[in-house]
Amino acid sequence: MDKLTKEQRSKNMRAVKSTGSKIEVILGKALWNKGYRYRKNNKKVFGKPDFTFSKYKIAVFVDGEFWHGKDWKIRKYDHKSNQKFWHQKIERNIQRDKEVNTELEKQGWIVLRFWGKQIEKDLVNCLEIIEQKIKERKCSLQKK
């Protein structure tokens, strides 16, 4: 049973943003401060990644644990109300993420996905992973 009233839950769910979340802002500012320039939510790239480095064909996604099903096999039954709806929704999100990864990789993109908590707890490591992929792509472009 939900602890919130229907109206409170509805208000909470309406407040969830699809772009510009706190975590995205943290990662974006950190990248910008390091001198990296990117596009946010580039509609021209399949799956509309949170950050794209078009020159290097690198797509970065910031995934929320709830919406993208982190530890889904374990957490699946945490939902107490409207289970059928949430299971379908989150499983479809997981499937869509796989489809997006596959399509972008077919197109020659490097796809990086970070969990929100991963960015909150270890921003430095996330930045290092992105920087490493950019350096690898720079090297491969210079060899051509």
Side-chain angles (χ1 to χ4, degrees):
M1 178 100 195
D2 200 350
K3 294 177 184 173
L4 301 176
T5 67
K6 211 171 184 176
E7 292 76 25
Q8 288 170 325
R9 176 64 60 209
S10 181
K11 182 181 176 190
N12 285 358
M13 297 310 276
R14 274 195 311 269
V16 175
K17 296 190 256 177
S18 62
T19 62
S21 69
K22 178 180 145 191
I23 302 301
E24 288 176 33
V25 171
I26 289 169
L27 182 60
K29 283 184 178 181
L31 287 166
W32 193 267
N33 289 337
K34 285 190 157 267
Y36 293 105
R37 300 302 176 247
Y38 52 82
R39 289 261 181 244
K40 286 272 300 138
N41 309 107
N42 190 345
K43 292 176 185 150
K44 293 179 182 176
V45 179
F46 185 79
K48 211 167 100 177
D50 297 306
F51 301 94
T52 52
F53 300 89
S54 298
K55 181 177 179 180
Y56 306 114
K57 285 191 116 177
I58 297 173
V60 179
F61 292 88
V62 177
D63 294 337
E65 286 78 0
F66 175 80
W67 297 105
H68 294 269
K70 183 170 193 305
D71 300 325
W72 184 239
K73 299 250 188 280
I74 299 165
R75 307 288 317 263
K76 185 174 187 173
Y77 298 101
D78 287 359
H79 303 282
K80 301 299 181 216
S81 62
N82 209 1
Q83 276 190 346
K84 184 180 177 191
F85 169 81
W86 287 112
H87 288 183
Q88 287 176 345
K89 174 141 185 79
I90 293 171
E91 286 170 359
R92 178 63 190 125
N93 288 350
I94 293 168
Q95 182 60 36
R96 188 178 329 106
D97 291 344
K98 289 176 185 174
E99 291 167 5
V100 167
N101 289 357
T102 301
E103 181 59 31
L104 286 175
E105 287 166 0
K106 266 196 246 175
Q107 295 176 14
W109 287 80
I110 292 174
V111 179
L112 301 174
R113 286 190 177 270
F114 297 102
W115 293 111
K117 296 286 184 214
Q118 184 182 5
I119 292 168
E120 275 183 352
K121 292 179 180 175
D122 198 6
L123 177 62
V124 172
N125 187 47
C126 295
L127 289 170
E128 285 174 1
I129 291 168
I130 295 168
E131 287 180 302
Q132 182 60 38
K133 293 299 177 185
I134 290 172
K135 286 176 187 171
E136 287 172 13
R137 274 290 161 98
K138 272 185 183 178
C139 287
S140 68
L141 288 174
Q142 289 172 349
K143 289 178 183 176
K144 289 182 179 180

